[in-house]
Amino acid sequence: MVKFYLLPFIRRVGICRRALPPAGSGAVRCTAEPFDAWTHPWCRRRFPPVGNMSAGRPFLACACFFSDNIFVGRYGLHVRYRDERQLRRDYGRALRERGCRSEEDFGVALREIEAEVNRRKELIYQSVKRKAIISKCYKRKHPQVYTLQESFLSPDFLDIVRYCTSPDAHLHGLLRYLESFSEKRIYRLPVFTEEFCQAFVDELENFEQSDMPKGRPNTMNNYGVLLNELGMDETFITPLREKYLRPITALLYPDLGGACLDSHKAFVVKYSLHEDLDLSSHYDNAEVTLNVSLGKDFTEGNLYFGELSQDPTPVPKYIEIEHVGAQGLLHRGGQIHGALPIASGERWNLIVWMRSSAIRNQLCPMCNKKPELVEAEGFGDGFTEDLKDNVLGTVDLCSLW
Ligand SMILES: O=C(O)CCC(=O)C(=O)O
Ligand SMILES: [Fe+2]
């Protein structure tokens, strides 16, 4: 495992809560984590503990985060960046075709890319700082929305979860409850109540209007809120994923680790006429994504979905899907997708990128290689040190959960 310079960073600000076990030490194998986990009502299987560890192992990131999938907004292009020469060689033509014609244009793009690489290198440190300030100084308007309660969830969603956790649940039975879109394994389901969505968006607007420090949700969305920085991970998103979503994804996406989605990155994206209007085509750093429409009032802004990133076709077939308030879409993270421009109003959507360490430890979905692991904070990018030498093995571990 590559030891990266992020750990000194983290230690310096005094927030490091763990030490990585020395490579190859028995500690990696430790699964004796106190399981205050969710227990499946019928099979009594226990799910991994809430928190930022997976079976006793800290979450990690892949080093490709600092060089791959860098989005050059002005040309709508994702690039891999090592140095200027490599950029000219690998992307000179694609950039020219997109309007980057002069040396001056190229210089501007290069500076944009370098700024993004530097932003990524500073990201953990900045995010930890923001989170600490928000937790100390931000005055919540609707404190109740920070802790998931069953009353926030649509009764139809609870029926679906009940079905999925019943002893004889199977995929075809579940599909009767969901709206399916083509063969792309995209499904619509009710998630929240309208009242919850309104209170949640009102809270997010209150935060947005405050003078608290704010990070960008991801490399492509400029507006919205990172929910871990707001303090919603442990009390809201983790129980939502573990107790409610995972029984559903276990049936829908068993091949993607749907039964063992053990971490996430959750954020809210916001589109309005004077901010972001749309979202370019991309795939998510996730095995499975949940996208819930929270409101407010808007027109247009549909999502579109193409092929899987690993199966590009010469003429990709896109389907367009409308947002339905308080309802969510589940899709594979690797499914190429984007959002069309809104024509009026404001659109807020909750996005949960759910990750399975058992799957991504084999292949990083962002660089398509065996991940080069680097230390990270919180859930990192959902990787863990490989258990391939462990007697449990990753597949067994997955089915244990
Ligand atoms: O705009 C949306 O609703 C989709 C956002 C999205 O795909 C993402 O942030 O990964
Ligand atoms: Fe996405």
Side-chain angles (χ1 to χ4, degrees), residues 218 221 267 269 271 279 282 284 289 291 303 323 331 337 339 347 349 351 353:
N218 57 51
N221 289 95
F267 49 94
V269 289
Y271 301 85
L279 186 65
H282 66 283
D284 299 338
T289 297
N291 178 334
L303 297 176
H323 301 275
H331 65 83
H337 60 284
R347 174 162 87 75
N349 282 54
I351 313 291
W353 287 352

PDB file of all heavy atoms in Angstrom, residues 218 221 267 269 271 279 282 284 289 291 303 323 331 337 339 347 349 351 353, ligand 1:
ATOM      1  N   ASN A 218     -19.106  17.601  -5.727  1.00  0.00           N
ATOM      2  CA  ASN A 218     -18.186  16.721  -6.456  1.00  0.00           C
ATOM      3  C   ASN A 218     -17.488  17.562  -7.512  1.00  0.00           C
ATOM      4  O   ASN A 218     -17.660  18.780  -7.544  1.00  0.00           O
ATOM      5  CB  ASN A 218     -18.927  15.510  -7.064  1.00  0.00           C
ATOM      6  CG  ASN A 218     -20.042  15.947  -7.983  1.00  0.00           C
ATOM      7  OD1 ASN A 218     -19.838  16.765  -8.871  1.00  0.00           O
ATOM      8  ND2 ASN A 218     -21.245  15.422  -7.771  1.00  0.00           N
ATOM      9  N   ASN A 221     -20.454  19.177 -10.012  1.00  0.00           N
ATOM     10  CA  ASN A 221     -21.501  20.062  -9.481  1.00  0.00           C
ATOM     11  C   ASN A 221     -20.844  21.166  -8.652  1.00  0.00           C
ATOM     12  O   ASN A 221     -20.030  20.888  -7.778  1.00  0.00           O
ATOM     13  CB  ASN A 221     -22.464  19.280  -8.565  1.00  0.00           C
ATOM     14  CG  ASN A 221     -23.340  18.324  -9.340  1.00  0.00           C
ATOM     15  OD1 ASN A 221     -23.034  17.157  -9.462  1.00  0.00           O
ATOM     16  ND2 ASN A 221     -24.422  18.823  -9.876  1.00  0.00           N
ATOM     17  N   PHE A 267     -24.597  13.677  -0.995  1.00  0.00           N
ATOM     18  CA  PHE A 267     -24.621  15.127  -1.164  1.00  0.00           C
ATOM     19  C   PHE A 267     -25.929  15.526  -1.818  1.00  0.00           C
ATOM     20  O   PHE A 267     -26.680  14.680  -2.316  1.00  0.00           O
ATOM     21  CB  PHE A 267     -23.423  15.607  -2.008  1.00  0.00           C
ATOM     22  CG  PHE A 267     -23.229  14.835  -3.295  1.00  0.00           C
ATOM     23  CD1 PHE A 267     -23.778  15.282  -4.479  1.00  0.00           C
ATOM     24  CD2 PHE A 267     -22.496  13.650  -3.311  1.00  0.00           C
ATOM     25  CE1 PHE A 267     -23.604  14.578  -5.668  1.00  0.00           C
ATOM     26  CE2 PHE A 267     -22.319  12.928  -4.487  1.00  0.00           C
ATOM     27  CZ  PHE A 267     -22.868  13.389  -5.667  1.00  0.00           C
ATOM     28  N   VAL A 269     -27.464  18.068  -4.752  1.00  0.00           N
ATOM     29  CA  VAL A 269     -27.088  18.953  -5.863  1.00  0.00           C
ATOM     30  C   VAL A 269     -28.205  19.973  -6.061  1.00  0.00           C
ATOM     31  O   VAL A 269     -29.376  19.678  -5.807  1.00  0.00           O
ATOM     32  CB  VAL A 269     -26.842  18.175  -7.179  1.00  0.00           C
ATOM     33  CG1 VAL A 269     -25.560  17.369  -7.084  1.00  0.00           C
ATOM     34  CG2 VAL A 269     -28.013  17.267  -7.532  1.00  0.00           C
ATOM     35  N   TYR A 271     -29.657  23.019  -8.814  1.00  0.00           N
ATOM     36  CA  TYR A 271     -29.607  23.675 -10.123  1.00  0.00           C
ATOM     37  C   TYR A 271     -30.562  24.862 -10.085  1.00  0.00           C
ATOM     38  O   TYR A 271     -31.676  24.758  -9.555  1.00  0.00           O
ATOM     39  CB  TYR A 271     -30.058  22.717 -11.234  1.00  0.00           C
ATOM     40  CG  TYR A 271     -29.217  21.461 -11.306  1.00  0.00           C
ATOM     41  CD1 TYR A 271     -29.501  20.375 -10.488  1.00  0.00           C
ATOM     42  CD2 TYR A 271     -28.130  21.376 -12.165  1.00  0.00           C
ATOM     43  CE1 TYR A 271     -28.729  19.227 -10.529  1.00  0.00           C
ATOM     44  CE2 TYR A 271     -27.345  20.227 -12.212  1.00  0.00           C
ATOM     45  CZ  TYR A 271     -27.645  19.156 -11.387  1.00  0.00           C
ATOM     46  OH  TYR A 271     -26.881  18.021 -11.437  1.00  0.00           O
ATOM     47  N   LEU A 279     -25.906  19.027 -16.069  1.00  0.00           N
ATOM     48  CA  LEU A 279     -24.759  18.219 -15.645  1.00  0.00           C
ATOM     49  C   LEU A 279     -24.296  17.391 -16.833  1.00  0.00           C
ATOM     50  O   LEU A 279     -25.099  16.665 -17.442  1.00  0.00           O
ATOM     51  CB  LEU A 279     -25.185  17.313 -14.478  1.00  0.00           C
ATOM     52  CG  LEU A 279     -24.087  16.501 -13.826  1.00  0.00           C
ATOM     53  CD1 LEU A 279     -23.069  17.414 -13.137  1.00  0.00           C
ATOM     54  CD2 LEU A 279     -24.680  15.551 -12.801  1.00  0.00           C
ATOM     55  N   HIS A 282     -21.478  11.579 -17.411  1.00  0.00           N
ATOM     56  CA  HIS A 282     -20.433  11.045 -16.526  1.00  0.00           C
ATOM     57  C   HIS A 282     -20.888   9.703 -15.966  1.00  0.00           C
ATOM     58  O   HIS A 282     -22.029   9.298 -16.160  1.00  0.00           O
ATOM     59  CB  HIS A 282     -20.195  12.001 -15.354  1.00  0.00           C
ATOM     60  CG  HIS A 282     -21.387  12.092 -14.434  1.00  0.00           C
ATOM     61  ND1 HIS A 282     -22.507  12.824 -14.738  1.00  0.00           N
ATOM     62  CD2 HIS A 282     -21.648  11.502 -13.236  1.00  0.00           C
ATOM     63  CE1 HIS A 282     -23.403  12.702 -13.775  1.00  0.00           C
ATOM     64  NE2 HIS A 282     -22.905  11.888 -12.844  1.00  0.00           N
ATOM     65  N   ASP A 284     -20.622   7.554 -12.036  1.00  0.00           N
ATOM     66  CA  ASP A 284     -20.386   7.894 -10.640  1.00  0.00           C
ATOM     67  C   ASP A 284     -19.281   7.022 -10.048  1.00  0.00           C
ATOM     68  O   ASP A 284     -19.080   5.883 -10.474  1.00  0.00           O
ATOM     69  CB  ASP A 284     -21.659   7.684  -9.814  1.00  0.00           C
ATOM     70  CG  ASP A 284     -22.801   8.564 -10.292  1.00  0.00           C
ATOM     71  OD1 ASP A 284     -22.525   9.598 -10.938  1.00  0.00           O
ATOM     72  OD2 ASP A 284     -23.965   8.205 -10.030  1.00  0.00           O
ATOM     73  N   THR A 289     -26.165   3.969  -7.230  1.00  0.00           N
ATOM     74  CA  THR A 289     -26.505   5.347  -6.849  1.00  0.00           C
ATOM     75  C   THR A 289     -27.998   5.465  -6.584  1.00  0.00           C
ATOM     76  O   THR A 289     -28.815   4.909  -7.321  1.00  0.00           O
ATOM     77  CB  THR A 289     -26.116   6.319  -7.994  1.00  0.00           C
ATOM     78  OG1 THR A 289     -24.706   6.276  -8.169  1.00  0.00           O
ATOM     79  CG2 THR A 289     -26.537   7.759  -7.687  1.00  0.00           C
ATOM     80  N   ASN A 291     -30.803   8.508  -6.356  1.00  0.00           N
ATOM     81  CA  ASN A 291     -31.009   9.922  -6.689  1.00  0.00           C
ATOM     82  C   ASN A 291     -32.466  10.254  -6.391  1.00  0.00           C
ATOM     83  O   ASN A 291     -33.369   9.773  -7.063  1.00  0.00           O
ATOM     84  CB  ASN A 291     -30.687  10.118  -8.183  1.00  0.00           C
ATOM     85  CG  ASN A 291     -30.925  11.558  -8.639  1.00  0.00           C
ATOM     86  OD1 ASN A 291     -31.731  12.274  -8.065  1.00  0.00           O
ATOM     87  ND2 ASN A 291     -30.235  11.955  -9.693  1.00  0.00           N
ATOM     88  N   LEU A 303     -33.183  13.666 -16.326  1.00  0.00           N
ATOM     89  CA  LEU A 303     -31.942  12.885 -16.359  1.00  0.00           C
ATOM     90  C   LEU A 303     -31.915  12.065 -17.643  1.00  0.00           C
ATOM     91  O   LEU A 303     -32.979  11.701 -18.169  1.00  0.00           O
ATOM     92  CB  LEU A 303     -31.888  11.935 -15.163  1.00  0.00           C
ATOM     93  CG  LEU A 303     -31.867  12.589 -13.781  1.00  0.00           C
ATOM     94  CD1 LEU A 303     -31.914  11.528 -12.699  1.00  0.00           C
ATOM     95  CD2 LEU A 303     -30.629  13.465 -13.615  1.00  0.00           C
ATOM     96  N   HIS A 323     -38.069  13.661 -13.293  1.00  0.00           N
ATOM     97  CA  HIS A 323     -38.031  13.617 -11.830  1.00  0.00           C
ATOM     98  C   HIS A 323     -39.462  13.563 -11.304  1.00  0.00           C
ATOM     99  O   HIS A 323     -40.349  14.208 -11.853  1.00  0.00           O
ATOM    100  CB  HIS A 323     -37.366  14.875 -11.272  1.00  0.00           C
ATOM    101  CG  HIS A 323     -35.963  15.056 -11.755  1.00  0.00           C
ATOM    102  ND1 HIS A 323     -34.899  14.453 -11.145  1.00  0.00           N
ATOM    103  CD2 HIS A 323     -35.462  15.763 -12.801  1.00  0.00           C
ATOM    104  CE1 HIS A 323     -33.786  14.792 -11.784  1.00  0.00           C
ATOM    105  NE2 HIS A 323     -34.108  15.576 -12.800  1.00  0.00           N
ATOM    106  N   HIS A 331     -29.789   3.368  -9.701  1.00  0.00           N
ATOM    107  CA  HIS A 331     -29.114   2.960 -10.947  1.00  0.00           C
ATOM    108  C   HIS A 331     -27.699   2.518 -10.644  1.00  0.00           C
ATOM    109  O   HIS A 331     -27.156   2.817  -9.570  1.00  0.00           O
ATOM    110  CB  HIS A 331     -29.158   4.081 -11.998  1.00  0.00           C
ATOM    111  CG  HIS A 331     -28.400   5.332 -11.634  1.00  0.00           C
ATOM    112  ND1 HIS A 331     -27.047   5.470 -11.820  1.00  0.00           N
ATOM    113  CD2 HIS A 331     -28.812   6.509 -11.091  1.00  0.00           C
ATOM    114  CE1 HIS A 331     -26.661   6.673 -11.427  1.00  0.00           C
ATOM    115  NE2 HIS A 331     -27.706   7.333 -10.971  1.00  0.00           N
ATOM    116  N   HIS A 337     -24.541   8.809 -17.443  1.00  0.00           N
ATOM    117  CA  HIS A 337     -25.748   9.629 -17.305  1.00  0.00           C
ATOM    118  C   HIS A 337     -25.391  11.094 -17.164  1.00  0.00           C
ATOM    119  O   HIS A 337     -24.224  11.456 -16.974  1.00  0.00           O
ATOM    120  CB  HIS A 337     -26.590   9.168 -16.107  1.00  0.00           C
ATOM    121  CG  HIS A 337     -25.855   9.253 -14.804  1.00  0.00           C
ATOM    122  ND1 HIS A 337     -24.895   8.344 -14.422  1.00  0.00           N
ATOM    123  CD2 HIS A 337     -25.930  10.157 -13.789  1.00  0.00           C
ATOM    124  CE1 HIS A 337     -24.417   8.670 -13.237  1.00  0.00           C
ATOM    125  NE2 HIS A 337     -25.022   9.779 -12.822  1.00  0.00           N
ATOM    126  N   ALA A 339     -27.618  15.310 -16.750  1.00  0.00           N
ATOM    127  CA  ALA A 339     -28.895  16.007 -16.527  1.00  0.00           C
ATOM    128  C   ALA A 339     -29.032  17.128 -17.546  1.00  0.00           C
ATOM    129  O   ALA A 339     -28.079  17.894 -17.776  1.00  0.00           O
ATOM    130  CB  ALA A 339     -28.938  16.568 -15.111  1.00  0.00           C
ATOM    131  N   ARG A 347     -33.947  23.159  -8.814  1.00  0.00           N
ATOM    132  CA  ARG A 347     -34.032  21.700  -8.630  1.00  0.00           C
ATOM    133  C   ARG A 347     -33.007  21.267  -7.590  1.00  0.00           C
ATOM    134  O   ARG A 347     -31.827  21.577  -7.709  1.00  0.00           O
ATOM    135  CB  ARG A 347     -33.771  21.007  -9.971  1.00  0.00           C
ATOM    136  CG  ARG A 347     -33.690  19.494  -9.870  1.00  0.00           C
ATOM    137  CD  ARG A 347     -33.858  18.839 -11.209  1.00  0.00           C
ATOM    138  NE  ARG A 347     -32.632  18.696 -11.971  1.00  0.00           N
ATOM    139  CZ  ARG A 347     -31.677  17.806 -11.729  1.00  0.00           C
ATOM    140  NH1 ARG A 347     -31.770  16.984 -10.701  1.00  0.00           N
ATOM    141  NH2 ARG A 347     -30.605  17.733 -12.508  1.00  0.00           N
ATOM    142  N   ASN A 349     -31.709  17.737  -5.591  1.00  0.00           N
ATOM    143  CA  ASN A 349     -31.790  16.261  -5.537  1.00  0.00           C
ATOM    144  C   ASN A 349     -30.779  15.714  -4.539  1.00  0.00           C
ATOM    145  O   ASN A 349     -29.640  16.201  -4.482  1.00  0.00           O
ATOM    146  CB  ASN A 349     -31.476  15.650  -6.908  1.00  0.00           C
ATOM    147  CG  ASN A 349     -32.649  15.746  -7.866  1.00  0.00           C
ATOM    148  OD1 ASN A 349     -33.185  16.834  -8.086  1.00  0.00           O
ATOM    149  ND2 ASN A 349     -33.049  14.634  -8.441  1.00  0.00           N
ATOM    150  N   ILE A 351     -28.301  12.869  -3.627  1.00  0.00           N
ATOM    151  CA  ILE A 351     -27.545  11.828  -4.333  1.00  0.00           C
ATOM    152  C   ILE A 351     -26.767  11.013  -3.305  1.00  0.00           C
ATOM    153  O   ILE A 351     -26.023  11.584  -2.489  1.00  0.00           O
ATOM    154  CB  ILE A 351     -26.517  12.449  -5.327  1.00  0.00           C
ATOM    155  CG1 ILE A 351     -27.156  13.553  -6.196  1.00  0.00           C
ATOM    156  CG2 ILE A 351     -25.850  11.382  -6.175  1.00  0.00           C
ATOM    157  CD1 ILE A 351     -28.164  13.106  -7.195  1.00  0.00           C
ATOM    158  N   TRP A 353     -24.061   8.061  -3.388  1.00  0.00           N
ATOM    159  CA  TRP A 353     -23.192   7.122  -4.113  1.00  0.00           C
ATOM    160  C   TRP A 353     -22.849   6.006  -3.132  1.00  0.00           C
ATOM    161  O   TRP A 353     -22.133   6.251  -2.146  1.00  0.00           O
ATOM    162  CB  TRP A 353     -21.896   7.807  -4.536  1.00  0.00           C
ATOM    163  CG  TRP A 353     -22.008   8.794  -5.658  1.00  0.00           C
ATOM    164  CD1 TRP A 353     -23.091   9.053  -6.450  1.00  0.00           C
ATOM    165  CD2 TRP A 353     -20.958   9.647  -6.135  1.00  0.00           C
ATOM    166  NE1 TRP A 353     -22.779  10.022  -7.373  1.00  0.00           N
ATOM    167  CE2 TRP A 353     -21.484  10.403  -7.199  1.00  0.00           C
ATOM    168  CE3 TRP A 353     -19.634   9.843  -5.759  1.00  0.00           C
ATOM    169  CZ2 TRP A 353     -20.715  11.340  -7.897  1.00  0.00           C
ATOM    170  CZ3 TRP A 353     -18.875  10.773  -6.442  1.00  0.00           C
ATOM    171  CH2 TRP A 353     -19.416  11.507  -7.512  1.00  0.00           C
TER     172      TRP A 353
HETATM  173  O1  LIG B   1     -28.561  16.171 -11.384  1.00  0.00           O
HETATM  174  C1  LIG B   1     -28.856  15.083 -10.940  1.00  0.00           C
HETATM  175  O2  LIG B   1     -29.932  14.840 -10.411  1.00  0.00           O
HETATM  176  C2  LIG B   1     -27.849  13.964 -11.087  1.00  0.00           C
HETATM  177  C3  LIG B   1     -26.600  14.224 -10.324  1.00  0.00           C
HETATM  178  C4  LIG B   1     -25.581  13.165 -10.565  1.00  0.00           C
HETATM  179  O3  LIG B   1     -25.688  12.354 -11.431  1.00  0.00           O
HETATM  180  C5  LIG B   1     -24.387  13.122  -9.714  1.00  0.00           C
HETATM  181  O4  LIG B   1     -24.149  14.065  -8.962  1.00  0.00           O
HETATM  182  O5  LIG B   1     -23.669  12.116  -9.783  1.00  0.00           O
END
